[in-house]
Amino acid sequence: MKNLLFFSCLIGVLITSLPYAQAAQLRAGAAKCIVTPTPLLPVSGGVGAPNAASEKKGDLFARALVFEEDDTRVALVALDFLGWPSVLGDKIRAQVKEIPADNILIAATHTHSAPDAYGFPDMKGVHGADLEYLDWVCTQAAEAIHKAWKKRTPAQLKIRVSEAKGKIAYNYYAPQLYDPRCGVIQVLSAKGKNKGDDILATLVNYACHPEVIGADEGILSPDFCGPLYDRIEEKTGGMALYFNGAQGGMITADNRQPNGEDERTWDECIRIGTLLADEALRIIDKAVVEENPSLYCATETISFPLDSPIMRNVLKRSPMGYAPNPDGTLSTRLALVNIGSAQLLSIPGEALPNIGYYVKRNMPTKNAFLLGLTNDAFGYMLAKVDWRSFKRYDYISSTGLGEMTGEIYMEQAIALSKKSPKPDEAPKRWE
């Protein structure tokens, strides 16, 4: 009888503790690889021939942040390029076996001072992309993921979204029509006596064109993203990543000078990048540690009509091998990641700020992140009421896929957001 009572108590203890025994610990790792071309290659700021570069300011990088919880594995990859089409993204994914291909989100920071990754053709099909170099970048990006995967360790998070202050960005078309909110995810070590003290990585999500220098100055550069990385890494000891947001039409770096001219210098990149880094660190400093964050990832196909003659020419004549569907639409991945109290949604292009605001306020969390130019870079994404409605929007209308791109994206992204599990409850953490 005593033995039976003992075993009954033991079973009761095991059953009671089972959820804790089975609770998965989030693990994370971060790594980067330099992808600066040697010798330098021409740089691209958009459709048209790239411009020769005679010097560089800062290096271009492939930066990878990986997460693992139980059977869920996710990689966030940021590349210092104008855009990174899915045909190149799939070359990276094919070299990574540790993480499901759909769970590898690949973004471009959108610097206007890096080699052409689109293969922009003229009407005769002549382009300025170096395909051998781009293949090498794919290999380096896969290597960054491998390195990050090998470095993964038990992790905790700090997450916060708040307004970044100072002269960082503005809307060239309407100065106040932009999103000043900066989202920050900081990944902390959860090992040893200094649990939570060691910063592994800091992800900054902010909507702004990195075009302080631009493509016309003969300089290859990550633009303000480079000084942002340097400042955060100097202050925290962990790796920094920059993911753009809904910066279309035309959210750009505020490098305006009192004389009305733009200052297109590396010093101005340092000013803006350092300021944004300091603001990101100020914002995240008020966040409370999330000790047992959950991880979730979902992807689905999203398809857009291809109405723009300019974009049809790019897709038809580019050497990248873009493949429109038989019905004339173009498909890509739409991805969602819940990590802790944050929800991240990908944007396969440059959504205008009103689209970003609408999607964010319909996401089921205060910590809403929109990752622009992620998993594809299909030009500008306008709401149908904006498409070709204003003379000011002629250029961005012509370099987007079509009138319904923004509408299709908003509907499908919000639906994906709402049908996923809710992100963790955000802890009380600021004033």
Side-chain angles (χ1 to χ4, degrees), residues 167-243:
K167 190 172 178 284
I168 302 172
Y170 79 110
N171 190 330
Y172 180 77
Y173 292 164
Q176 298 302 314
L177 185 58
Y178 75 103
D179 189 347
R181 291 170 293 180
C182 178
V184 187
I185 299 175
Q186 199 161 72
V187 186
L188 312 170
S189 171
K191 288 182 65 177
K193 294 181 180 179
N194 296 322
K195 183 178 179 181
D197 289 346
D198 297 327
I199 297 174
L200 305 176
T202 302
L203 183 155
V204 178
N205 179 214
Y206 184 78
C208 182
H209 276 67
E211 57 177 353
V212 174
I213 295 175
D216 298 328
E217 304 301 315
I219 299 172
L220 184 143
S221 173
D223 208 84
F224 70 71
C225 304
L228 178 143
Y229 304 143
D230 293 342
R231 182 71 158 195
I232 290 176
E233 292 173 359
E234 174 192 354
K235 293 287 187 179
T236 69
M239 192 186 79
L241 302 90
Y242 177 77
F243 282 79

Side-chain angles (χ1 to χ4, degrees), residues 156-164 182-188 196 199-205 232 235-236 239 276-290 339 341-342 367 369 427-431:
Q156 301 169 330
L157 302 175
K158 291 174 72 175
I159 300 170
R160 191 177 175 217
V161 177
S162 188
E163 183 174 340
C182 178
V184 187
I185 299 175
Q186 199 161 72
V187 186
L188 312 170
I199 297 174
L200 305 176
T202 302
L203 183 155
V204 178
N205 179 214
I232 290 176
K235 293 287 187 179
T236 69
M239 192 186 79
L276 180 55
D278 287 345
E279 283 298 286
L281 294 177
R282 176 187 63 79
I283 288 166
I284 201 62
D285 183 60
K286 295 180 181 293
V288 171
V289 173
E290 301 182 17
I339 181 161
S341 63
N367 290 326
F369 290 66
K428 293 181 180 179
R429 59 198 185 280
W430 57 75
E431 311 85 11

